[in-house]
Amino acid sequence: MTDAIWSALVDPHRRAVLDLLREGDRAVGELVELLGQSQPNVSKHLRVLREAGLVRVRRQAQQRIYAIEPGPIAELDAWLAPYRRLWNDRLDALGRYLDDEDGVGAAAHAEEPS
């Protein structure tokens, strides 16, 4: 995984672009409208995403249509997988602990006289 991917993803505006593209391919003008940013600013973010390999562009008449490039996203997902397992294991342990505490609390309340 390249530093360009991390550099591209660190910016919240570029993550917002990816969120919109996750819903489907979009023209630059549509992204400008949805993001509420200037066309030059959106184009700058798209250029960074394209150079990082996260999006691809195609021409359709006078428009440039952008889409997510799934390869680098899959690479990122594969890199995160061991960490996700770590988080899931810890969350599962927390869930078991809370379930046990609920059981203890419920049993204690059941024993209390009314």
Side-chain angles (χ1 to χ4, degrees):
M1 195 164 17
T2 68
D3 289 339
I5 292 173
W6 292 112
S7 295
L9 293 175
V10 75
D11 186 281
H13 295 104
R14 290 192 281 271
R15 291 193 310 268
V17 169
L18 289 174
D19 286 341
L20 290 170
L21 293 176
R22 190 182 63 218
E23 298 168 2
D25 300 359
R26 296 189 188 269
V28 175
E30 187 179 1
L31 290 167
V32 167
E33 183 179 321
L34 292 168
L35 293 167
Q37 297 181 26
S38 68
Q39 190 277 328
N41 197 36
V42 172
S43 291
K44 178 188 78 168
H45 291 305
L46 287 166
R47 180 179 44 79
V48 172
L49 290 168
R50 191 178 65 247
E51 289 173 356
L54 292 166
V55 299
R56 63 180 178 270
V57 62
R58 71 178 191 279
R59 291 192 65 87
Q60 183 174 311
Q62 300 298 327
Q63 295 183 323
R64 290 183 179 267
I65 308 296
Y66 282 83
I68 286 184
E69 184 62 51
I73 302 294
E75 185 180 338
L76 179 61
D77 182 57
W79 186 85
L80 287 171
Y83 297 97
R84 192 177 305 110
R85 282 192 295 274
L86 175 67
W87 300 324
N88 288 340
D89 290 347
R90 290 188 176 174
L91 288 172
D92 289 345
L94 176 60
R96 285 190 301 275
Y97 173 79
L98 293 174
D99 288 345
D100 289 345
E101 287 296 307
D102 285 345
V104 170
H109 289 299
E111 295 173 9
E112 292 177 2
S114 303

